[in-house]
Amino acid sequence: PMFPLEATQDVPTIAMLTVYLGALPKWFPVTLKTMQANKTIDWYFFVDELTEQLQAINTPNVYFAKLSKTDLEDLMTSKTGHPIQLTTSRKLCDWKPAVGHLFEDLLIEKGYDFWGYCDLDTIWGDIRSFLTPEVLKAHHLLCFSEHTHPTVGPFTIVRTS
């Protein structure tokens, strides 16, 4: 394998959650390959354009589900108790820290120890080389960002509990 850590080892489980409206970026196939190589991390995409090309991706750690803008707004409204209407898909960035709450049923059902979110213009190396079991067990929140407020950065991991 490209990266040495195997899923059978005792390591905390991670689910990366992405909500995306519109066509995925043209560079997504490159990003996808690096996600696929990180076999011990599960990547979930909730997209409004579930193309045949996306449906044909057969990787045990990458999942795609159709979620229309209306269904997403209904889910956001249900989870927050406030009426939500997205004026533009760009506003989804503001919701990244809440995706764990939006999809908490999935996280609980699958028993993930951590969940996270990321930007799609990232080329991933061996994530487990720095998110070791020891690092994960010692933290509740890991943010990798140069922003003033780190939870809006390109890669964040949150303990599920």
Side-chain angles (χ1 to χ4, degrees):
M2 183 182 280
F3 303 132
L5 189 63
E6 295 297 325
T8 57
Q9 295 178 350
D10 183 31
V11 297
T13 55
I14 300 172
M16 297 299 294
L17 307 172
T18 300
V19 178
Y20 202 89
L21 299 177
L24 287 167
K26 62 184 174 187
W27 61 81
F28 182 71
V30 176
T31 299
L32 177 62
K33 287 219 177 283
T34 65
M35 291 171 170
Q36 291 168 319
N38 281 280
K39 295 180 186 316
T40 64
I41 296 174
D42 289 339
W43 307 81
Y44 291 89
F45 292 90
F46 302 93
V47 298
D48 65 334
E49 295 185 19
L50 188 57
T51 64
E52 287 182 22
Q53 184 181 12
L54 291 179
Q55 291 175 329
I57 294 171
N58 186 16
T59 303
N61 67 320
V62 180
Y63 309 92
F64 293 92
K66 185 166 180 58
L67 183 66
S68 71
K69 180 179 178 237
T70 301
D71 289 341
L72 175 60
E73 290 170 335
D74 290 347
L75 177 62
M76 294 165 129
T77 297
S78 169
K79 291 290 189 170
T80 65
H82 299 282
I84 304 294
Q85 284 192 302
L86 297 170
T87 55
T88 173
S89 62
R90 297 276 306 148
K91 295 308 287 175
L92 283 176
C93 291
D94 297 343
W95 283 88
K96 281 183 177 181
V99 295
H101 181 58
L102 295 177
F103 300 103
E104 67 184 332
D105 293 344
L106 168 72
L107 299 173
I108 292 167
E109 176 188 328
K110 300 287 187 180
Y112 287 106
D113 300 307
F114 289 83
W115 64 273
Y117 51 91
C118 62
D119 289 349
L120 291 186
D121 59 354
T122 304
I123 304 300
W124 298 99
D126 182 1
I127 295 171
R128 293 290 191 167
S129 70
F130 60 91
L131 287 184
T132 64
E134 295 76 26
V135 167
L136 290 170
K137 289 175 184 174
H139 294 86
H140 289 274
L141 176 69
L142 292 160
C143 304
F144 302 89
S145 175
E146 295 178 2
H147 293 281
T148 306
H149 195 283
T151 59
V152 297
F155 181 41
T156 300
I157 299 288
V158 181
R159 185 180 299 274
T160 302
S161 54

